[in-house]
């Protein structure tokens, strides 16, 4: 998948700008605060329909503009398509592909992207929520049915949480509690199967990358963790459902007492181990970064296996914190598909990769 050209109008610090990309490596260079990350954010928007660093679309609209537009010519499976996204505060986001209206989840089939940015260190360092988001984003791009099930799950979970929070004041709410719990068990079973097979594949793809990345010194292991009564997360949806229900029944009283939803896929995690030890607890900063990047590069391989094309790889500020050998590994590894990689100092990257250089200055690409 390739983004040929992008036009940004009123997007962040880009007033009106058109930028052409090469189908291989593109080095996005410039001083701090010129718009390098903003450009990657726009490409990510084309793939996923939202930003990776702002929760509110209005923050993406350039100061002094009433709306933001991202327009791009993309190519997937030999087909040229035009994707257009318009954000106007107070109105619904407009997404079209070849002038046909789409929802954000329908964008997944058009162009896919894998992003790595400095905040991704959180995948290894932080709590389970970050790793669930990683699973959800990745599987959501690969399996449209997953995104739908997850949306439904979150909706029901919110309602169940409200019941558990308010039932003491309104006891009649309790009539519907078991129904919500049952539906959540059903959806949990579906999410668990998707996640278990995704993590197994990700482990298979990321571990060899990580081994090479660390010069053969470290071995990475990813393991899916879910509801404790589910012994086999690869079992049939029905069997998983029964196992989740068993956990639910055992925790019904505790849920009422604590006012919290204690059972279900919303508490899942993906454990990351390096050399058999928890990476979160024991890994060095550099080891955490290497593990997080290997996981993202592994995700890129899964996309390739699934769709026969590499997704667009977006690397924001990855090189600055890596030692020379690891930098070399990254630069050697990113060939194959289209890559946009930002940096402040070129440091010879362009010469080493033969990529195209795009210099960004105050929201303009220098010509
Ligand atoms: P760094 O090297 O520090 O990471 P960068 O080139 O990646 O820098 P960006 O994060 O892309 O920089 O941001 C560039 C500028 O865009 C910042 O100065 C920021 O203030 C500005 N900016 C952010 N949002 C908007 C907006 N909605 N309208 C106008 N400018 C914005
Ligand atoms: Mg930046």
């Amino acid at each position: 998948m390739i983004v040929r050209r992008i036009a940004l109008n009123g997007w962040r610090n880009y007033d009106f700008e058109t930028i052409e990309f090469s189908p291989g490596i593109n080095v996005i260079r410039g001083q701090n605060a010129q718009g390098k990350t903003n450009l990657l954010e726009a490409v990510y928007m084309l793939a996923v329909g939202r930003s990776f660093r702002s929760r509110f679309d209005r923050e993406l609209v350039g100061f002094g503009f009433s709306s933001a537009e991202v327009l791009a010519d993309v190519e997937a499976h030999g087909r040229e398509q035009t994707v257009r996204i318009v954000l106007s505060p107070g109105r619904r986001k407009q997404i079209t592909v070849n002038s046909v209206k789409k929802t954000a989840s329908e964008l997944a089939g058009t162009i896919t992207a894998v992003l790595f940015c400095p905040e991704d260190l959180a995948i290894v360092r932080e709590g389970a929520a970050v790793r669930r988001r990683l699973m959800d984003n990745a599987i959501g791009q690969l399996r449209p049915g997953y995104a739908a099930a997850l949306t439904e799950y979150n909706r029901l979970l919110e309602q169940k949480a409200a019941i558990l929070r308010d039932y003491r004041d309104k006891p009649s709410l309790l009539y519907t509690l078991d129904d919500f719990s049952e539906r959540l068990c059903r959806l949990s079973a579906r999410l668990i199967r998707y996640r278990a097979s995704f993590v197994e594949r990700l482990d298979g793809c990321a571990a060899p990358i990580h081994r090479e990345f660390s010069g053969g010194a470290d071995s990475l292991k990813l393991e899916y963790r879910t509801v404790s009564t589910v012994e086999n997360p690869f079992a049939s949806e029905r069997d998983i459902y029964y196992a989740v229900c068993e956990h639910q029944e055992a925790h019904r009283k505790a849920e009422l007492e604590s006012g919290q939803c204690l059972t279900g896929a919303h508490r899942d995690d993906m454990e990351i181990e390096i050399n058999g030890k928890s990476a979160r607890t024991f890994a060095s900063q550099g080891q955490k970064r290497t593990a997080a990047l290997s996981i993202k590069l592994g995700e890129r391989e899964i996309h390739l296996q699934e769709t026969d094309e590499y997704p667009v790889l977006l690397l924001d500020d990855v090189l600055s914190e890596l030692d020379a050998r690891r930098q070399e590994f990254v630069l050697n590894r990113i060939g194959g598909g289209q890559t946009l990689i930002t940096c402040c100092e070129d440091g010879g990257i362009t010469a080493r990769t033969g990529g195209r250089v795009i210099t960004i200055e105050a929201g303009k690409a220098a010509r």
Side-chain angles (χ1 to χ4, degrees), residues 61-74:
V61 178
F63 304 148
F65 283 78
S66 57
S67 64
E69 179 191 41
V70 182
L71 185 67
D73 294 329
V74 305

Side-chain angles (χ1 to χ4, degrees), residues 218-221 223 271-279 282:
D218 290 337
S219 79
L220 178 77
K221 177 95 199 108
E223 223 162 318
E271 196 159 302
I272 304 173
E273 286 187 349
I274 298 176
N275 302 331
K277 300 251 178 334
S278 158
F282 296 107

Side-chain angles (χ1 to χ4, degrees), residues 161 234 248 293 354:
F234 299 98
Q248 167 63 52
L293 187 51

Side-chain angles (χ1 to χ4, degrees), residues 147-177:
L150 183 68
T151 306
E152 178 69 358
Y153 185 90
N154 287 333
R155 195 180 64 79
L156 293 173
L157 185 66
E158 229 170 81
Q159 286 170 308
K160 180 174 166 183
I163 296 174
L164 289 172
R165 192 184 59 222
D166 300 335
Y167 79 91
R168 288 192 180 85
D169 297 331
K170 273 194 260 169
S172 65
L173 285 174
L174 282 181
Y175 292 129
T176 55
L177 177 66

Side-chain angles (χ1 to χ4, degrees), residues 100-264:
V100 178
K101 268 196 179 167
K102 300 271 175 189
T103 62
S105 46
E106 285 168 338
L107 267 179
T110 310
I111 193 111
T112 51
V114 168
L115 164 81
F116 185 82
C117 61
E119 292 76 29
D120 281 329
L121 210 55
I123 296 168
V124 187
R125 201 173 49 193
E126 308 279 314
V130 182
R131 288 177 291 281
R132 280 195 299 274
R133 204 176 314 132
L134 175 121
M135 294 192 265
D136 292 343
N137 284 340
I139 309 169
Q141 285 200 69
L142 290 164
R143 302 269 183 271
Y146 181 84
L150 183 68
T151 306
E152 178 69 358
Y153 185 90
N154 287 333
R155 195 180 64 79
L156 293 173
L157 185 66
E158 229 170 81
Q159 286 170 308
K160 180 174 166 183
I163 296 174
L164 289 172
R165 192 184 59 222
D166 300 335
Y167 79 91
R168 288 192 180 85
D169 297 331
K170 273 194 260 169
S172 65
L173 285 174
L174 282 181
Y175 292 129
T176 55
L177 177 66
D178 291 334
D179 182 42
F180 276 108
S181 293
E182 196 272 336
R183 285 155 75 192
L184 281 164
C185 291
R186 224 169 258 284
L187 284 162
S188 280
R190 186 165 313 158
L191 299 180
I192 287 169
R193 287 194 85 222
Y194 275 119
R195 287 176 179 172
S197 58
F198 171 74
V199 174
E200 187 183 48
R201 280 183 81 176
L202 188 61
D203 179 59
C205 290
I209 293 176
H210 184 266
R211 180 165 287 282
E212 203 186 324
F213 203 167
S214 62
D218 290 337
S219 79
L220 178 77
K221 177 95 199 108
L222 306 177
E223 223 162 318
Y224 177 54
R225 294 268 180 270
T226 187
V227 181
S228 61
T229 48
V230 178
E231 278 167 24
N232 176 13
F234 299 98
S236 70
E237 208 171 303
R238 226 175 99 177
D239 288 349
I240 299 172
Y241 165 72
Y242 289 132
V244 180
C245 286
E246 187 191 316
H247 192 270
Q248 167 63 52
E249 275 149 33
H251 289 76
R252 189 177 187 276
K253 194 160 161 263
E255 284 191 327
L256 286 166
E257 279 167 11
S258 67
Q260 309 229 342
C261 303
L262 302 175
T263 287

